[in-house]
Amino acid sequence: MRTQVAIVGAGPAGLLLSHLLHLNGIESVVLETRSRADIEATIRAGVLEQGSMDILDQAGVGERMRREGALHHGFELAFGGKRHRIDLTELTGKAITVYPQHEVIIDLVAARLAAGGQLLFEASEVALHGTDTAQPSVTFSHQGEAQRLLADFVIGCDGFHGVSRPAIPAGVRQDFQRTYPFGWFGILVESAPSSDELIYAQHERGFALVSTRSPTVQRLYFQCDPQDHVDNWSDDRIWSELHARTASDGGWKLNEGRIFQKNIIGMRSFVCAPMRSGRLFLAGDAAHIVPPTGAKGMNLAISDVRLLARALEAFYQRGTEELLDGYSDAALKRVWRAEYFSWWMTRLLHTFADASPFERQVQRAELENVVSSRAMRTALAENYVGAF
Ligand code: RFL
Ligand code: PHB
């Protein structure tokens, strides 16, 4: 098989890149280890920045997101028994949309298939070859047959545990990372929303987040030990922890409902630089991870592939490699802003077991400073909506 661009991984990065390339007349093949049903059902992110919504719209896949997603003009910070609104739109002129990542995936897969796009699901033994030559290729097994896909470029969109990043020689690559001593316990609940907007709660028992998925399904998280097991958490124990951490003035109360999914995720910050080696380019979680506190992961994946699509378009239509050569630096600039913000939000809102009494007081003072200073609220809002 031969194509112009071989894309490894059908997450938001790989699927959107394939579609953006198609719109520019560039051919690609997407290889994915999991099944279509599996990628369309995996619950992950929920927040799209305005810039991400705009890209999905421009790519012609934003229609359902606009119709079914919930536009949010602000969110709340809760601490010390009080809630404080961060008015995103008043502070930045922008908003965010809560629209689940798996719905973005469903829309992108449908658009690719409707356009005759080549998506190969359940590909196994995916391996990259010759990425430092002008003729890279990817070998894999599909429906029991060993195959080789020849391409001009290979784009690694295969997430943090994929095969692409390790294909960049260790001597070329620098990895920066930080692992946090806590995780998030996430649940999906059948209930009406408890709040019109997301609530990020700081509490001495640990962080909690009240998010939503739809008018009938809510997404809640609370800080936990990353080594803990979901089986240790009965529904009653989960509710009592969430109530304790989100309790606030004015008679507001979290709605309970049937919990139908529980999971625990670890938290890390990670950056691989450069995001390119020869004819191999990385995009999305394959190159960088942020803790979910700032809701940046899917948005970074989308902004990486927008840069890459433009660079590949310049290469195929004008024969210039300038944008390809500038891709890693341009992407990393935005990545580091998001890394900084995600780390800052994480530090601001979580309880660190080893924090001294002094550090705990300073953390509270920083929260007070954020909610009482318009300049601080504006900086938070600009970072949250992605106005950088
Ligand atoms: P993905 O989505 O991980 O997709 C990679 C795909 O590659 C496949 N794959 C391979 N395919 C072929 N060959 C191989 N060898 C392969 N190895 C892997 C995988 O099966 C998969 O289908 O990466 P991508 O496209 O870079 O997208 C990144 C986002 O998924 C991720 O950053 C976000 O989910 C992070 N995130 C959030 N981001 C936001 O922007 N807003 C949020 O509100 C938000 N909340 C979250 C999150 C992530 C979370 N978890 C579960 C880590 C909340 C959570 C709980
Ligand atoms: C989510 O709804 O899954 C979500 C929302 C905001 C975050 C992280 C996750 O910061």
Side-chain angles (χ1 to χ4, degrees), residues 44-47 184 198 200 209 211-213 219 221 292-295 384:
R44 295 187 74 177
V47 174
W184 276 15
L198 270 58
Y200 289 82
L209 171 60
S211 181
T212 183
R213 282 292 177 271
R219 181 69 162 149
Y221 298 98
T293 328
Y384 195 80

Side-chain angles (χ1 to χ4, degrees), residues 203-233:
H203 192 276
E204 62 198 14
R205 300 184 63 87
F207 169 75
L209 171 60
V210 178
S211 181
T212 183
R213 282 292 177 271
S214 74
T216 54
V217 174
Q218 310 315 316
R219 181 69 162 149
L220 308 173
Y221 298 98
F222 58 94
Q223 176 183 347
C224 68
D225 177 343
Q227 311 301 338
D228 209 341
H229 289 282
V230 291
D231 300 342
N232 294 332
W233 287 82

Side-chain angles (χ1 to χ4, degrees), residues 368-382:
E368 295 284 1
N369 192 30
V370 168
V371 298
S372 58
S373 150
R374 184 179 171 90
M376 288 292 285
R377 282 200 308 279
T378 305
L380 165 57
E382 284 173 349

